[in-house]
Amino acid sequence: MTSPSQPQRVCFQLQVKPEMLDEYLRRHSPVWPEMLAEIAASGRRNYSLFLGEGGRLTGYYETDDDEAAKAYLAASEVASRWEAEMAPFFVGLEGRPDQAAPALREVFNLHDQLAASATPDTTESTH
């Protein structure tokens, strides 16, 4: 639900092993400064993680090109080290979390729908 002039909005979910929740939170408070710099350099922005009941982790970020951001992080030595340390925290994940986390499909965005409803319908005739 993005247009060429808007960033891609990416949301994903992972399951943190319940017995590892405290350590997962400790590792994110704070994240390594060099990893923060790599995330920003990849083009990901407005990045947030939300922890739900039972270890359900939901992440969200925006980017102009998610494939390019993934490729940048895949080639990053810092991101490789970070992701290797994070992988054991997740249930049923094959591969690096930054590469293998399944994206959720966006089904509604308030901004997009308000913008679309404010655009005059160009298919109607104005006689």
Side-chain angles (χ1 to χ4, degrees):
M1 295 189 103
T2 60
S3 71
S5 63
Q6 291 184 336
Q8 290 178 276
R9 295 180 292 261
V10 179
C11 187
F12 60 89
Q13 283 190 328
L14 294 167
Q15 181 66 43
V16 179
K17 294 175 182 174
E19 68 275 13
M20 298 182 80
L21 279 172
D22 289 341
E23 180 63 15
Y24 181 83
L25 293 172
R26 190 187 69 72
R27 301 255 187 124
H28 282 79
S29 185
V31 169
W32 305 339
E34 60 271 27
M35 185 60 199
L36 298 174
E38 285 295 79
I39 293 169
S42 78
R44 290 181 178 178
R45 58 191 178 277
N46 198 19
Y47 198 146
S48 295
L49 295 173
F50 302 89
L51 187 60
E53 198 169 320
R56 185 181 65 243
L57 185 74
T58 301
Y60 173 86
Y61 60 87
E62 297 169 354
T63 183
D64 293 326
D65 183 344
D66 196 36
E67 291 306 313
K70 281 183 178 180
Y72 180 92
L73 291 169
S76 165
E77 183 272 329
V78 171
S80 292
R81 283 190 296 118
W82 174 262
E83 297 301 333
E85 288 199 19
M86 291 299 106
F89 287 92
F90 301 107
V91 174
L93 185 67
E94 297 291 326
R96 286 174 45 167
D98 68 334
Q99 303 294 311
L104 302 175
R105 184 178 73 157
E106 183 177 14
V107 297
F108 169 79
N109 180 273
L110 177 63
H111 179 270
D112 288 354
Q113 288 198 19
L114 285 173
S117 69
T119 305
D121 187 356
T122 58
T123 61
E124 287 186 29
S125 168
T126 55
H127 294 286

